[in-house]
Amino acid sequence: MERPPIKRRERDTIIQALRAGVVPKLGLQHIQVGRAREVEELVRDIERIGEGGAAIRFVIGEYGSGKTFFLNLVRLVALEKGLVVLSADLAPDRRLHATGGQARALYAEMARNAATRTKPDGGALASIVERFVSQTVREAETSGRAPGDAIRAKLAHLEELTGGFDFATVVSRYWEGHEAGDDDMKANALRWLRAEFATRTDARKALGVRTIVDDASVYDHLKLMAAFVREAGYGGLVVALDEMVNLYKLTSSQARNANYEQILRVLNDVLQGGAAHVGFLLGGTPEFLMDTRRGLFSYEALQSRLAENSFARGGLVDLSGPVLRLANLTPEDLFVLLVNIRRVFHGDVDRLPDEALTAFMAHCSERIGDAYFRTPRNTVTAFVNMLAVIEQNPGVEWRDLIGDVELSADGGDDMSDIEESAGEIGPASGGPEDDDLASFRL
């Protein structure tokens, strides 16, 4: 069956991203290969979220193994299924728990990246609120109710949740600004929803509410947002967080454990049925999960909940648990991936036949062994660079280029520790803490 043509924008985005070693946000369907069972399992999670359930997955893979690609693919599936996606990468100034504003910064980043099917690139929060208001107003006109009363009635059940009263008040303020033509009121309401108010005083002056989204209330507001997007007509909320290894890098064991406690809170809430219409995708490396000194397994309660199924041995798999380990690509998968990239690149099959792809794979295997199956990012980048040279130099032969391909195993990004900033729990700047000594008792 002939595939649909690739749009120029998608082609340019894919090529630029792959050359830089990052994941494109557009056109993933043109190059996706393998991991069909993992994708099917995540699709079931998305359907469960739409039916009122909740889900949490730890997507674990080596640097360059396709972890971010997989997260983005699931993100696109969620958007197609009519869900809202909040996404962000953790960083030294963005984490799940903090006392110096880092957790609020993470929420603000997620809110800025809010995406829907019609706005997949982010910045969709305003349209979500607008959709809720316009739908409620139409329903009010049909039933003969006052729009303001209908909006308050529709948001009444949010008040039962932590922070729900002020959340409902802020959405009502947006409606009031809409009715009065007060753009400042609408902008302030969106600022509050995006966690851009730093103090309660500013929020009270602008909107008459007494609380803001702060470090301590991030998870509560994610649950509020999940309930709100349902009222706006969406299927639910997916929260996708990548680069969780930044928690592993924290030098302070107190700060790490505080973040792990927050992960445990979310995990317990989801597994015990305390959350609804919300799912969490957390991307990290094997060290982040399994290191018993600094990873999730250093926190006993998390280790017991995230342990592998003891029966999944000898080729047997269990993809239903919270931890989803990305399987290595097979040689056949990698060959199909290179074929797909060649097609996206508008590569001339005569100038770069299948024989060339096989020779390229053999060269990669000789240089870095089976690492190019486990972490194909560098292999893909080298292949795209070779295609660029072939396209721009009509007289060059692929046989002359393959031997010159420089390749190394992907060792990941900078694994240096992150010291705590002033105001955070733990040492401010006094050098790395020795975790072994910190737990020593006479």
Side-chain angles (χ1 to χ4, degrees):
M1 184 177 64
E2 186 177 349
R3 294 191 178 188
I6 302 172
K7 298 177 182 177
R8 182 180 180 86
R9 181 190 177 198
E10 289 182 340
R11 175 185 182 271
D12 293 344
T13 300
I14 293 171
I15 292 173
Q16 290 172 5
L18 294 182
R19 290 195 72 173
V22 297
V23 176
K25 288 191 174 182
L26 292 175
L28 295 185
Q29 69 276 13
H30 296 299
I31 57 176
Q32 163 65 14
V33 297
R35 292 170 181 158
R37 294 182 63 183
E38 289 89 343
V39 173
E40 289 174 5
E41 195 67 33
L42 269 295
V43 169
R44 278 195 282 271
D45 284 353
I46 291 170
E47 292 171 349
R48 186 186 311 125
I49 293 166
E51 294 168 357
I56 183 169
R57 295 284 187 164
F58 296 82
V59 180
I60 302 300
E62 301 280 359
Y63 284 108
S65 64
K67 186 170 63 270
T68 302
F69 186 100
F70 184 81
L71 289 174
N72 275 7
L73 183 66
V74 176
R75 170 183 173 274
L76 292 177
V77 172
L79 295 179
E80 287 300 314
K81 295 281 188 180
L83 279 72
V84 175
V85 178
L86 304 184
S87 58
D89 289 351
L90 269 70
D93 60 342
R94 294 195 297 266
R95 64 188 74 150
L96 293 171
H97 180 280
T99 58
Q102 295 93 335
R104 182 173 70 86
L106 176 65
Y107 187 93
E109 180 70 10
M110 286 191 285
R112 282 192 292 270
N113 293 334
T116 61
R117 181 164 44 196
T118 55
K119 299 197 74 172
D121 296 331
L125 185 58
S127 62
I128 293 170
V129 178
E130 196 69 39
R131 175 173 171 171
F132 168 79
V133 169
S134 59
Q135 284 185 350
T136 308
V137 169
R138 283 198 301 270
E139 292 170 4
E141 291 173 350
T142 302
S143 61
R145 300 177 64 186
D149 293 340
I151 288 175
R152 281 186 287 272
K154 207 166 184 179
L155 295 174
H157 74 283
L158 295 185
E159 297 178 8
E160 301 172 3
L161 302 174
T162 304
F165 181 82
D166 281 344
F167 189 100
T169 300
V170 169
V171 176
S172 297
R173 293 284 185 271
Y174 184 92
W175 154 249
E176 293 168 9
H178 178 82
E179 279 293 280
D182 188 343
D183 290 338
D184 287 341
M185 178 75 78
K186 292 170 63 178
N188 284 329
L190 290 175
R191 283 185 59 209
W192 191 94
L193 293 171
R194 286 195 293 255
E196 293 176 1
F197 278 102
T199 66
R200 293 176 176 82
T201 302
D202 291 342
R204 187 165 62 249
K205 288 180 181 177
L207 298 167
V209 294
R210 295 182 177 274
T211 64
I212 59 173
V213 183
D214 57 18
D215 285 337
S217 62
V218 166
Y219 179 55
D220 293 325
H221 277 274
L222 288 175
K223 293 173 69 174
L224 282 168
M225 187 62 70
F228 176 67
V229 300
R230 283 290 297 177
E231 293 297 338
Y234 296 94
L237 183 71
V238 171
V239 179
L241 299 176
D242 202 0
E243 302 298 342
M244 297 292 290
V245 73
N246 278 285
L247 302 182
Y248 171 87
K249 297 178 185 178
L250 292 172
T251 60
S252 166
S253 61
Q254 286 180 290
R256 278 199 313 276
N257 286 339
N259 277 272
Y260 292 165
E261 284 174 8
Q262 189 74 345
I263 292 175
L264 179 63
R265 177 192 175 192
V266 176
L267 181 65
N268 286 340
D269 208 30
V270 169
L271 298 182
Q272 293 172 353
H277 293 293
V278 63
F280 296 86
L281 293 173
L282 311 178
T285 61
E287 293 83 6
F288 160 70
L289 174 70
M290 300 181 66
D291 192 318
T292 55
R293 181 171 172 263
R294 299 177 63 169
L296 290 179
F297 280 11
S298 68
Y299 202 83
E300 186 175 349
L302 284 172
Q303 183 176 8
S304 63
R305 287 162 175 78
L306 301 179
E308 290 186 12
N309 187 335
S310 59
F311 292 98
R313 293 287 188 270
L316 302 178
V317 297
D318 176 16
L319 301 178
S320 63
V323 176
L324 190 66
R325 294 176 182 272
L326 294 185
N328 296 344
L329 292 179
T330 66
E332 293 77 16
D333 290 333
L334 191 56
F335 181 81
V336 174
L337 176 60
L338 298 183
V339 169
N340 290 344
I341 295 173
R342 180 181 64 184
R343 175 177 174 267
V344 169
F345 211 98
H346 293 176
D348 189 339
V349 177
D350 293 332
R351 294 192 63 198
L352 197 70
D354 290 352
E355 177 191 357
L357 306 190
T358 304
F360 179 84
M361 291 174 59
H363 173 79
C364 295
S365 181
E366 290 174 4
R367 293 300 298 267
I368 59 174
D370 67 347
Y372 85 110
F373 295 122
R374 291 184 286 106
T375 57
R377 175 168 54 190
N378 283 354
T379 303
V380 168
T381 299
F383 183 69
V384 173
N385 288 337
M386 188 177 75
L387 282 175
V389 171
I390 291 174
E391 183 181 60
Q392 297 174 58
N393 298 271
V396 74
E397 280 287 330
W398 61 264
R399 292 180 179 84
D400 299 330
L401 296 178
I402 286 181
D404 296 331
V405 173
E406 293 293 333
L407 205 66
S408 60
D410 197 332
D413 64 358
D414 180 15
M415 283 295 291
S416 58
D417 289 341
I418 299 170
E419 294 187 4
E420 300 308 306
S421 58
E424 178 58 272
I425 299 173
S429 59
E433 175 184 311
D434 189 329
D435 293 312
D436 293 335
L437 291 179
S439 61
F440 180 76
R441 295 288 185 273
L442 288 174

